[in-house]
Amino acid sequence: MLNSLAAQAIFYVIAALTVGFAALVAFSRNIVYSAFALVGALMGVAGVYILLAADFVAMVQVLLYVGGIVVLTIFAVMLTQGIGDLAVSNRAVGPGAGLAVVALAGAVMLYATLRTPWHLATAVAVASTTYGIGNAFLGVYVLPFEIASLVLLAALVGAVTISRQDTPPPADGAAEKGRS
Amino acid sequence: MTQFNWSLINFAWLPILPLIVVAVGAMGVLLAGVQVDDEDSGALGILTIALLVFAAVLSLLLFGGRPSVAFSGALAAGGYTAYFDLLVLFAAAMTALMSVEYAADQGLAGAEYYALLMFAALGMMLMAAGDDLIVIFLGLETMSIAIYALAGFMRHDPRSNEAALKYFLLGAFSTGFLLYGIAFIYGATGSIKLEPIEAALSRPATDNALLLAGVGLLLIGFGFKIAAVPFHMWAPDAYEGAPTPVTAFMAVGVKAAAFAAFVRIFMVHLGPLGPQWTMVLWVMAGLTMTVGNLAALVQTNIKRMLAYSAIAHAGYILVGMTAAAAPRAGGAILYYLLGYAFTNLGAFTVVVALERRGAIHDNLADYRGLAARHPFLAAAMALFMLSLAGVPPLAGFFGKFYIFSAALDAHLLWLTIIAVINSVISAYYYLSVLIAMYVREGGVEPAALRTRPALIATLVIAAAGTVAIGLFPQPYITSAAGAFVSALGNAPHHHVVLSR
C-alpha cells in the first residue's frame, strides 16, 4: 500500500504532523496547550495505523486515546485549580544531562535503524482485521487478555484507595510535597 | 468467516491453579473487608495468610512437575516457576504476618491493603511464570501498580506520598524502556515468546543492531526494577517513605520477581548473546555493589541504610548473572534470593517492631541500648545483620559463597575481588547496628512484644530460616539448582553453550 508515491507522501505528512505535535506536547510552557497538542500527536499515530491497513487498531486508538484518555487528561488539567496559571508548569529539568541522554539514545536508535536488515512484509489486500484480533484474544493470547483485566482491577483498587476522602487527617493533610 | 476454532485454546488449569487462588483470594479479601473495621483488620490479615499458604501448597505440588509450557507458550510450568512462586508467596505471607498488628495500629484500610498485597504477589508470580514477554510485562504492571498504591498507603504521611509518587514516576518511566525493548525484540525476531526468540538468535541474519538495542532497553527496564546503579535513584526515598512492611515486600518480593524474569530471559533464552550482555552486566554489577555499599556507610536512617544494602545485594546477584557461563551460576542466584528473603524480611520486621502510630523510630540512634531492654529483638536483629554481612554459618554467607565461586568458575577474577572487598566494606555498617544495640546507651523503648504475637511469629520464622538455610545449605542449593535446570528444560532449543 505504501508503494505508490502518493501513499509515501501521505505517510511523510502524517509523520511530520505527529512528531510536530509531540514536540508541542513536550515543549509547550502551558500544560493546557500540551494536553491539546496530545490530541494531534495521537491522531497522527492513528493515521499511521490506517496507512498500515490496521483498521481495528486505528479505530481503537481514536476511541480510547483521543476520545477517552486525552479528554480525561484535559478534564484533569481544567479541574485542577490554577494549574494553567503556573508560569513554568512544564519546565525542563537538567537540560544538559537530558540533552546528552537524548543525543546518545538518538544515535543508538539511528544506528540500529540504519544497520538492521528490515523484513519487508508483502503487501496484503485491505481486509478487516477485527476477526483475527478477536480470535487471537480468545485463543493464543487468552491468558494475557485475562491478565490485563486483573491489571485494571488492581489499578482501580489502588486508585480508589489513594484518592478517596474519609478519615479526618491527623496531621497537616496529604500534600504531595517533595523533600529536597 | 469460519467457525471459531476451539482447539486454539490450550487450557491448562493445573499450572495456573496457584495464580487463580491468589487472584480470586484478593477479590475475596476485598469483599470480606466490607464486614470488618479498619481497627481490627487483623482477621483479614490471617485470611490473606491462609489463602497465600494454600496457594503455596499448590505450588509445592507443582514443584517436582515436568517442565512444560501452557497456554500456547504464554506460561512456563515446572520447577523454576514453582520455586519463585513459593518464594513470592512466602514473602507475601510474611509481609501480611508482620502487618497484622501494624496495619491495625496505624489504622490502614485493611481490605484494600491485603488485597493489593495479593495483587502484587499475583503479578510477581506471573513474572516468574511468563514465557512470553507480554505475560512478563503484564505481571510486572500488576505488581508495580499494586506496590505504587501500597507505598503511598499512609495517605496522611508526606513521606509515604513522596515514596509513592517517586516510585510511580520512575516506575512508569522504566516501563517505557521495557516496552520499547520488547517492541524492538519483536521487530528483530518476529516473536514475543521466549522460545521462538531464542530460536531466531541462532539464525545468522538476526545478528542485528535492532535486536541488541532491544536487549539493551530491556536491561535498562530491569535495571530500574532491581534498583541497579545507575537506575537506583528512586530506591532510598521509596524504601524510607513506604509503610515498613511494604518496604520489606519491595526489598524481597519485587526483587525476587524481577530477577526471576531477568534470569529467565537473559540466562536461559538470550544465551547466544551472552558475550554482549555479560559485558554490560559486569560494569553494572561492579557499580551497583560499590555505590550501594559506600552510600550505606553514611546513612543514619535504618530504612535508608537497608535500601542501600538492598542495592548492594542486587549487585552481588548481578555478579551471579555476569557469571552466566558457569553452570552453577543459576542455582547460586536462586539460593541467594532465598536466603536474602528470610534475612531481609526479618530485619524489616525488627524495624516494624520499633514503630508505633505517630512514633516512627527508624533512625539508627533509636536502636542504642536495645539489647538491654529487648534482648530477644536485639539478638534477632544481630542475627539478620550478620547474615546480610555474610558471616558463616548463616544464609547470607553461603549465598555469597556460591555466587562468588560461580564467578570464579566463569573466570571473573576482578569482579570477584570487587565483590569480596565490597562484602568487607558492608560489614562496617551492618556491625554498626550491632554496636548501637549492644554497646551504646539511650535509644527508644519499643512497645511490648507480648501484645504482638504475629510479630514474634514473623521474627521466629525469619530467624529460623536464616539459620537453617545457612547451617544445612545442601537441600536448598540442590532444589535451587534443580529449579534452574528445569527452566532450561522449558527451552527445547537450549543447546547453545554460553561462552565468554
Side-chain angles (χ1 to χ4, degrees), chain B residues 394-412:
Chain B
L394 300 169
F397 168 75
F398 283 102
K400 278 186 184 148
F401 174 78
Y402 289 128
I403 292 241
F404 295 173
S405 46
L408 286 177
D409 283 356
H411 310 293
L412 298 169

Side-chain angles (χ1 to χ4, degrees), chain B residues 13-325:
Chain B
W13 295 107
L14 204 60
I16 60 164
L17 262 185
L19 292 166
I20 292 176
V21 168
V22 176
V24 175
M27 297 173 213
V29 168
L30 213 48
L31 288 178
V34 177
Q35 308 291 331
V36 180
D37 286 339
D38 287 347
E39 269 62 36
D40 38 43
S41 61
L44 291 174
I46 304 295
L47 174 66
T48 305
I49 295 165
L51 288 163
L52 290 169
V53 168
F54 179 48
V57 170
L58 293 173
S59 295
L60 201 61
L61 295 176
L62 292 170
F63 188 71
R66 215 165 48 80
S68 62
V69 289
F71 286 96
S72 325
L75 280 190
Y80 186 85
T81 305
Y83 184 91
F84 276 105
D85 279 359
L86 284 171
L87 193 54
V88 162
L89 289 167
F90 168 72
M94 288 284 277
T95 308
L97 193 59
M98 76 172 87
S99 304
V100 165
E101 287 111 1
Y102 179 89
D105 176 45
Q106 305 273 353
L108 301 182
E112 291 90 335
Y113 179 83
Y114 292 110
L116 285 170
L117 196 70
M118 291 184 81
F119 277 126
L122 178 76
M124 291 170 185
M125 291 164 74
L126 282 166
M127 286 175 77
D131 205 27
D132 173 330
L133 291 172
I134 294 252
V135 174
I136 289 176
F137 170 74
L138 286 170
L140 185 106
E141 279 302 281
T142 315
M143 168 186 88
S144 300
I145 287 172
I147 300 269
Y148 300 147
L150 283 172
F153 218 82
M154 294 162 95
R155 297 188 297 139
H156 305 301
D157 178 1
R159 292 203 309 175
S160 183
N161 298 335
E162 185 196 347
L165 196 64
K166 275 199 174 152
Y167 193 33
F168 171 64
L169 288 180
L170 280 164
F173 185 57
S174 72
T175 300
F177 281 99
L178 200 77
L179 262 185
Y180 212 11
I182 292 173
F184 272 37
I185 291 175
Y186 179 70
T189 62
S191 181
I192 45 157
K193 295 191 192 297
L194 293 176
E195 266 118 54
I197 289 173
E198 189 188 350
L201 292 184
S202 47
R203 288 202 300 268
T206 37
D207 179 31
N208 61 40
L210 190 68
L211 181 65
L212 284 181
V215 171
L217 287 167
L218 219 56
L219 212 66
I220 295 175
F222 279 115
F224 268 107
K225 282 295 157 202
I226 59 170
V229 179
F231 313 112
H232 67 289
M233 313 72 86
W234 58 270
D237 290 326
Y239 278 39
E240 187 192 349
T244 309
V246 176
T247 310
F249 198 43
M250 283 160 79
V252 175
V254 173
K255 193 150 290 183
F259 268 110
F262 199 6
V263 166
R264 193 198 284 278
I265 296 174
F266 280 77
M267 287 177 71
V268 178
H269 293 286
L270 291 182
L273 291 179
Q276 281 92 341
W277 58 256
T278 45
M279 242 169 16
V280 181
L281 279 191
W282 197 105
V283 179
M284 223 175 177
L287 274 177
T288 306
M289 288 185 293
T290 313
V291 172
N293 278 320
L294 291 182
L297 285 179
V298 295
Q299 299 305 321
T300 53
N301 179 294
I302 192 123
K303 280 166 86 176
R304 284 186 90 80
M305 191 204 91
L306 286 171
Y308 281 109
S309 142
I311 293 172
H313 282 274
Y316 300 131
I317 302 170
L318 285 175
V319 171
M321 285 191 68
T322 313

Side-chain angles (χ1 to χ4, degrees), chain A residues 109 112 116-119 131 135 138 140 143-144 147 150-151 153 155 157-158 161-162 164 166 169-170 174-176 179, chain B residues 1-2 4 9 27 30 75 109 112 119 122 126 138 142 145 149 152-153 155-156 161-162 184 208-210 237 240:
Chain A
M109 298 294 157
T116 301
W118 291 94
H119 308 283
Y131 176 76
N135 238 350
L138 291 177
V140 178
L143 188 74
I147 298 167
L150 284 171
V151 177
L153 181 60
V157 175
T161 313
I162 293 284
R164 71 173 175 185
D166 52 5
E176 271 162 2
R179 198 181 56 243
Chain B
M1 293 273 160
T2 48
F4 180 75
I9 304 184
M27 297 173 213
L30 213 48
L75 280 190
E112 291 90 335
F119 277 126
L122 178 76
L126 282 166
L138 286 170
T142 315
I145 287 172
F153 218 82
R155 297 188 297 139
H156 305 301
N161 298 335
E162 185 196 347
F184 272 37
N208 61 40
L210 190 68
D237 290 326
E240 187 192 349

Side-chain angles (χ1 to χ4, degrees), chain B residues 411-423:
Chain B
H411 310 293
L412 298 169
L413 183 62
W414 281 105
L415 193 61
T416 315
I417 291 174
I418 296 174
V420 171
I421 293 173
N422 264 296
S423 297

Side-chain angles (χ1 to χ4, degrees), chain A residues 51-136:
Chain A
L51 271 184
L52 291 171
D55 57 342
F56 183 74
V57 183
M59 192 194 74
V60 170
Q61 167 85 8
V62 173
L63 266 181
L64 278 188
Y65 282 85
V66 183
I69 292 179
V70 172
V71 169
L72 264 185
T73 310
I74 292 171
F75 262 117
V77 167
M78 289 183 160
L79 292 178
T80 311
Q81 259 183 347
I83 197 167
D85 305 340
L86 287 177
V88 277
S89 58
N90 205 3
R91 199 166 48 124
V93 185
L99 213 62
V101 171
V102 167
L104 187 74
V108 170
M109 298 294 157
L110 199 65
Y111 177 79
T113 318
L114 294 179
R115 273 289 308 276
T116 301
W118 291 94
H119 308 283
L120 290 178
T122 47
V124 288
V126 179
S128 170
T129 54
T130 319
Y131 176 76
I133 290 173
N135 238 350

